[in-house]
Short mmCIF file of all heavy atoms in Angstrom, two decimals:
data_model
loop_
_atom_site.label_atom_id
_atom_site.label_comp_id
_atom_site.label_asym_id
_atom_site.label_seq_id
_atom_site.Cartn_x
_atom_site.Cartn_y
_atom_site.Cartn_z
N LEU A 42 -23.92 105.66 12.72
CA LEU A 42 -24.56 105.82 14.04
C LEU A 42 -25.51 104.68 14.35
O LEU A 42 -25.53 104.16 15.48
CB LEU A 42 -25.30 107.16 14.11
CG LEU A 42 -24.44 108.38 14.34
CD1 LEU A 42 -25.28 109.65 14.17
CD2 LEU A 42 -23.80 108.34 15.71
N ARG A 43 -26.30 104.28 13.37
CA ARG A 43 -27.23 103.16 13.59
C ARG A 43 -26.48 101.88 13.96
O ARG A 43 -26.86 101.17 14.89
CB ARG A 43 -28.10 102.92 12.36
CG ARG A 43 -29.16 103.96 12.14
CD ARG A 43 -30.06 103.61 10.96
NE ARG A 43 -30.98 104.68 10.67
CZ ARG A 43 -32.11 104.90 11.34
NH1 ARG A 43 -32.45 104.12 12.35
NH2 ARG A 43 -32.91 105.90 11.00
N GLU A 44 -25.41 101.60 13.23
CA GLU A 44 -24.62 100.40 13.51
C GLU A 44 -23.98 100.47 14.89
O GLU A 44 -23.99 99.49 15.64
CB GLU A 44 -23.53 100.22 12.45
CG GLU A 44 -24.06 99.76 11.11
CD GLU A 44 -22.96 99.62 10.07
OE1 GLU A 44 -21.79 99.44 10.45
OE2 GLU A 44 -23.29 99.71 8.87
N LYS A 45 -23.43 101.63 15.25
CA LYS A 45 -22.77 101.77 16.54
C LYS A 45 -23.77 101.68 17.69
O LYS A 45 -23.50 101.05 18.70
CB LYS A 45 -22.00 103.09 16.60
CG LYS A 45 -21.09 103.20 17.79
CD LYS A 45 -20.01 102.13 17.72
CE LYS A 45 -19.04 102.25 18.86
NZ LYS A 45 -18.02 101.20 18.83
N ILE A 46 -24.93 102.30 17.53
CA ILE A 46 -25.96 102.22 18.57
C ILE A 46 -26.41 100.78 18.76
O ILE A 46 -26.57 100.31 19.90
CB ILE A 46 -27.15 103.14 18.23
CG1 ILE A 46 -26.72 104.60 18.40
CG2 ILE A 46 -28.37 102.82 19.08
CD1 ILE A 46 -27.72 105.61 17.86
N GLU A 47 -26.60 100.05 17.67
CA GLU A 47 -27.00 98.64 17.78
C GLU A 47 -25.91 97.82 18.48
O GLU A 47 -26.19 97.01 19.36
CB GLU A 47 -27.29 98.06 16.41
CG GLU A 47 -27.82 96.64 16.47
CD GLU A 47 -28.22 96.10 15.11
OE1 GLU A 47 -28.56 96.89 14.21
OE2 GLU A 47 -28.19 94.86 14.97
N GLU A 48 -24.66 98.05 18.10
CA GLU A 48 -23.54 97.34 18.71
C GLU A 48 -23.46 97.63 20.20
O GLU A 48 -23.32 96.71 21.02
CB GLU A 48 -22.24 97.77 18.03
CG GLU A 48 -20.99 97.20 18.65
CD GLU A 48 -19.74 97.81 18.04
OE1 GLU A 48 -19.70 98.02 16.81
OE2 GLU A 48 -18.81 98.10 18.81
N MET A 49 -23.57 98.90 20.57
CA MET A 49 -23.49 99.26 21.99
C MET A 49 -24.68 98.73 22.77
O MET A 49 -24.54 98.32 23.93
CB MET A 49 -23.36 100.78 22.13
CG MET A 49 -22.03 101.29 21.61
SD MET A 49 -21.89 103.08 21.68
CE MET A 49 -21.59 103.29 23.43
N SER A 50 -25.84 98.70 22.15
CA SER A 50 -27.03 98.14 22.79
C SER A 50 -26.85 96.64 23.04
O SER A 50 -27.19 96.13 24.12
CB SER A 50 -28.25 98.39 21.92
OG SER A 50 -29.40 97.83 22.51
N ASP A 51 -26.28 95.93 22.06
CA ASP A 51 -26.02 94.50 22.23
C ASP A 51 -25.02 94.26 23.36
O ASP A 51 -25.19 93.33 24.15
CB ASP A 51 -25.48 93.90 20.93
CG ASP A 51 -26.52 93.81 19.84
OD1 ASP A 51 -27.73 93.96 20.15
OD2 ASP A 51 -26.14 93.60 18.67
N ILE A 52 -23.99 95.08 23.43
CA ILE A 52 -22.99 94.95 24.50
C ILE A 52 -23.64 95.19 25.85
O ILE A 52 -23.41 94.45 26.81
CB ILE A 52 -21.81 95.91 24.27
CG1 ILE A 52 -21.00 95.45 23.06
CG2 ILE A 52 -20.93 96.02 25.51
CD1 ILE A 52 -19.97 96.44 22.58
N TYR A 53 -24.49 96.20 25.94
CA TYR A 53 -25.19 96.49 27.19
C TYR A 53 -26.09 95.32 27.58
O TYR A 53 -26.09 94.90 28.74
CB TYR A 53 -26.02 97.77 27.05
CG TYR A 53 -26.83 98.09 28.26
CD1 TYR A 53 -26.25 98.67 29.38
CD2 TYR A 53 -28.19 97.78 28.32
CE1 TYR A 53 -27.00 98.94 30.51
CE2 TYR A 53 -28.95 98.05 29.44
CZ TYR A 53 -28.34 98.63 30.54
OH TYR A 53 -29.10 98.89 31.67
N ASP A 54 -26.85 94.81 26.61
CA ASP A 54 -27.72 93.67 26.90
C ASP A 54 -26.93 92.46 27.37
O ASP A 54 -27.34 91.76 28.30
CB ASP A 54 -28.54 93.30 25.66
CG ASP A 54 -29.59 94.33 25.32
OD1 ASP A 54 -29.90 95.19 26.16
OD2 ASP A 54 -30.11 94.28 24.18
N LEU A 55 -25.79 92.20 26.74
CA LEU A 55 -24.94 91.08 27.13
C LEU A 55 -24.42 91.28 28.55
O LEU A 55 -24.44 90.37 29.37
CB LEU A 55 -23.78 90.91 26.16
CG LEU A 55 -22.77 89.81 26.50
CD1 LEU A 55 -23.45 88.45 26.57
CD2 LEU A 55 -21.64 89.81 25.49
N HIS A 56 -23.99 92.50 28.84
CA HIS A 56 -23.49 92.81 30.19
C HIS A 56 -24.59 92.57 31.22
O HIS A 56 -24.34 91.97 32.27
CB HIS A 56 -22.99 94.25 30.24
CG HIS A 56 -22.54 94.68 31.60
ND1 HIS A 56 -21.36 94.24 32.16
CD2 HIS A 56 -23.12 95.49 32.51
CE1 HIS A 56 -21.24 94.77 33.37
NE2 HIS A 56 -22.29 95.53 33.60
N GLU A 57 -25.80 93.05 30.93
CA GLU A 57 -26.91 92.85 31.85
C GLU A 57 -27.21 91.36 32.04
O GLU A 57 -27.46 90.90 33.14
CB GLU A 57 -28.16 93.58 31.34
CG GLU A 57 -28.08 95.08 31.44
CD GLU A 57 -28.05 95.54 32.89
OE1 GLU A 57 -28.96 95.16 33.65
OE2 GLU A 57 -27.12 96.27 33.24
N ALA A 58 -27.20 90.60 30.96
CA ALA A 58 -27.46 89.16 31.04
C ALA A 58 -26.39 88.46 31.87
O ALA A 58 -26.69 87.56 32.66
CB ALA A 58 -27.52 88.56 29.64
N MET A 59 -25.13 88.88 31.70
CA MET A 59 -24.05 88.27 32.47
C MET A 59 -24.19 88.62 33.95
O MET A 59 -23.98 87.77 34.81
CB MET A 59 -22.70 88.74 31.94
CG MET A 59 -22.37 88.15 30.58
SD MET A 59 -20.88 88.84 29.82
CE MET A 59 -19.64 88.40 31.03
N GLN A 60 -24.59 89.85 34.24
CA GLN A 60 -24.80 90.24 35.64
C GLN A 60 -25.94 89.42 36.24
O GLN A 60 -25.85 88.95 37.36
CB GLN A 60 -25.12 91.74 35.74
CG GLN A 60 -23.96 92.64 35.41
CD GLN A 60 -22.83 92.49 36.40
OE1 GLN A 60 -23.02 92.19 37.56
NE2 GLN A 60 -21.62 92.69 35.91
N GLU A 61 -26.98 89.26 35.47
CA GLU A 61 -28.15 88.49 35.93
C GLU A 61 -27.75 87.02 36.14
O GLU A 61 -28.16 86.40 37.11
CB GLU A 61 -29.27 88.59 34.91
CG GLU A 61 -30.56 87.93 35.31
CD GLU A 61 -31.30 88.67 36.42
OE1 GLU A 61 -31.05 89.87 36.62
OE2 GLU A 61 -32.14 88.03 37.07
N GLY A 62 -26.93 86.49 35.28
CA GLY A 62 -26.55 85.09 35.36
C GLY A 62 -25.54 84.79 36.45
O GLY A 62 -25.37 83.63 36.82
N THR A 63 -24.88 85.80 36.99
CA THR A 63 -23.86 85.54 38.01
C THR A 63 -24.31 85.90 39.42
O THR A 63 -23.54 85.80 40.35
CB THR A 63 -22.57 86.33 37.69
OG1 THR A 63 -22.89 87.72 37.62
CG2 THR A 63 -21.96 85.86 36.39
N ARG A 64 -25.55 86.30 39.56
CA ARG A 64 -26.05 86.62 40.89
C ARG A 64 -26.36 85.33 41.64
O ARG A 64 -26.76 84.33 41.06
CB ARG A 64 -27.30 87.47 40.80
CG ARG A 64 -27.03 88.84 40.28
CD ARG A 64 -28.28 89.68 40.34
NE ARG A 64 -28.00 90.97 39.77
CZ ARG A 64 -28.86 91.64 39.03
NH1 ARG A 64 -30.06 91.16 38.80
NH2 ARG A 64 -28.54 92.81 38.54
N PHE A 65 -26.21 85.39 42.94
CA PHE A 65 -26.54 84.24 43.78
C PHE A 65 -27.91 84.47 44.40
O PHE A 65 -28.24 85.56 44.85
CB PHE A 65 -25.49 84.07 44.88
CG PHE A 65 -24.17 83.64 44.36
CD1 PHE A 65 -23.15 84.55 44.13
CD2 PHE A 65 -23.92 82.30 44.08
CE1 PHE A 65 -21.93 84.15 43.64
CE2 PHE A 65 -22.70 81.88 43.58
CZ PHE A 65 -21.70 82.82 43.36
N PHE A 66 -28.71 83.42 44.38
CA PHE A 66 -30.05 83.49 44.94
C PHE A 66 -30.23 82.36 45.94
O PHE A 66 -29.66 81.28 45.78
CB PHE A 66 -31.12 83.32 43.84
CG PHE A 66 -31.07 84.37 42.78
CD1 PHE A 66 -30.43 84.14 41.57
CD2 PHE A 66 -31.66 85.61 42.99
CE1 PHE A 66 -30.40 85.11 40.59
CE2 PHE A 66 -31.63 86.59 42.01
CZ PHE A 66 -30.99 86.33 40.81
N THR A 67 -31.04 82.63 46.94
CA THR A 67 -31.43 81.55 47.83
C THR A 67 -32.35 80.63 47.06
O THR A 67 -32.88 80.99 46.00
CB THR A 67 -32.18 82.10 49.07
OG1 THR A 67 -33.40 82.68 48.64
CG2 THR A 67 -31.34 83.11 49.82
N SER A 68 -32.58 79.45 47.56
CA SER A 68 -33.45 78.51 46.84
C SER A 68 -34.86 79.05 46.69
O SER A 68 -35.50 78.88 45.65
CB SER A 68 -33.47 77.15 47.53
OG SER A 68 -33.96 77.29 48.85
N SER A 69 -35.38 79.75 47.70
CA SER A 69 -36.73 80.31 47.60
C SER A 69 -36.77 81.44 46.56
O SER A 69 -37.74 81.58 45.81
CB SER A 69 -37.22 80.82 48.95
OG SER A 69 -36.38 81.83 49.45
N GLN A 70 -35.70 82.23 46.46
CA GLN A 70 -35.64 83.29 45.45
C GLN A 70 -35.59 82.66 44.06
O GLN A 70 -36.25 83.13 43.13
CB GLN A 70 -34.42 84.18 45.64
CG GLN A 70 -34.52 85.11 46.84
CD GLN A 70 -33.21 85.84 47.08
OE1 GLN A 70 -32.13 85.26 46.95
NE2 GLN A 70 -33.32 87.10 47.45
N ALA A 71 -34.81 81.61 43.91
CA ALA A 71 -34.67 80.95 42.62
C ALA A 71 -36.00 80.33 42.18
O ALA A 71 -36.38 80.41 41.02
CB ALA A 71 -33.59 79.87 42.68
#
C-alpha cells in the first residue's frame, strides 16, 4: 500500500505539472 500510494501520488504530481506546463498565459499573466 505504501509503495502504491507513493506511485499514484507521483503520477498525480506529474499530471498536475504537465497541466501547469501546457497552459497558455498572456504576457502579463506570465
Side-chain angles (χ1 to χ4, degrees):
L42 281 172
R43 287 184 186 280
E44 287 178 24
K45 191 63 177 178
I46 289 170
E47 185 175 335
E48 175 188 320
M49 292 177 76
S50 179
D51 290 346
I52 291 169
Y53 176 79
D54 290 345
L55 177 59
H56 176 73
E57 289 293 306
M59 289 173 61
Q60 291 295 330
E61 185 71 21
T63 58
R64 292 186 183 143
F65 291 98
F66 299 99
T67 65
S68 60
S69 60
Q70 288 173 319

